[in-house]
Amino acid sequence: MSQPPGTDLAEHLSLLRRRRLLFFGLTLTGLITGLGLWKHTPPAYTATTEVLVAPVGVQEQNNQVTNRQRESLNLDTEAQIAQSRIVARKAARSLRVPETEPAEVTVPPNSSVLWISVTAADPTTASTHAQAYALAYLANRGESAQSALATQQKALQGKLDQVNTELGEVAQQLIFLDRRSAEHTLASHRQAVLNRQAYSLTMKYDALKTFTITPGSVISPAVPPTDPSSPSLPLHAGAGLMLGLLTGSAAAYTRDRLDTRLRSAADVERLTGLGVLADLAGRLDRSTLHELASCVVAACPGRSLLVRALPADVGTTALALPLAASAPISVLSGSDIGDLARADAALLMISLGRTHASDVATTARHLRRHDVPVIGVVTVTGALRPPHEFERSRALPRHTPRFDKLVVSSADAGAETSPFPAISDPPGKPK
């Protein structure tokens, strides 16, 4: 488990680099899924009919003139009417089918044109249904305008009949009234007003009687499309890739937060906070051993160093024996019951791929409770082999002195002598 990445881009890229197999695997899976959906999705064809909408002048729903709409006709309302259920039923009756494909109507800016599009599995079906929608819309618009016109004519005819009736009553009154009386003057004035009203109503009625309704026209008939409109390869591939990236990133972050296994020296320093003194893989060569011994001598606060292996079955002999002969300090393997009490510091030997950060933390807390600080970590991969000199020492006869004890005295301990032979000494001749 790692700490949550900060705002630095390098930290996020480092996290994705650590979990690159999971990240790229899920990204590739998302891309393949998108391509698979594109391959197995049935094709669909879209046909479009362009309809020019003409003002009918009868109960017109006017629209406010804006930068988008330069016409007074409200085309947004007309677009909703074009895809209404009434128009769909008219189109279905004209095609003699139970139900038509749904239509999509769009309004190009600064125009009086409607784009009526229909998508179907067959190109011929798409074109015939789009054309039927356009004709049904124009027919419905014409019927609505004709009905509104008839209503207006009926209303004007009613008003005109009422005015003519009143005008006849006033004419009858004028016959019996004295021309010099006030009643005659008022009746004459009323007769003149009614005459003007009758004239105005008659002109309006005659205009409605001669009015021609033109709801619009089809300026671009629908033709069967040659190429399918869907599925779209860029759309499916892009969506699959984006989904894969999001899923891969989320899985990588989750995996990095939950995974506590130490797989590299960088994981040890990042997850445990302990410094890695040496990263050993395979055989322990002399140059690496010399650098490790120098680091141990510089970091150890006392004369006794405890080597603790994680996990325990790795064993500390392959590291403790060469380190005991190279560093002027006492190296304790932990096999003796008093090694923990005699140790002044501890060196952790971690097997990569088999150790978790929680194990290292538990061991470090255990050592701190006994006042044994951890000076660093040595990481190993697989089985660690000591230098050739120590392998030859293991092959000596039983009476030959060997490294039976992993305790080396300090160089300035005058009376004490080291039980380990020098590397340059011949076998059987301890120093």
Side-chain angles (χ1 to χ4, degrees), residues 55-58 145-146 149 207-215:
V56 293
V58 181
Q146 189 66 43
L149 182 62
L208 291 179
K209 291 289 289 185
T210 58
F211 185 80
T212 302
I213 296 177
T214 305

Side-chain angles (χ1 to χ4, degrees), residues 26-38:
L26 290 178
T27 301
L28 183 60
T29 302
L31 179 60
I32 293 175
T33 302
L35 294 177
L37 291 176
W38 168 77

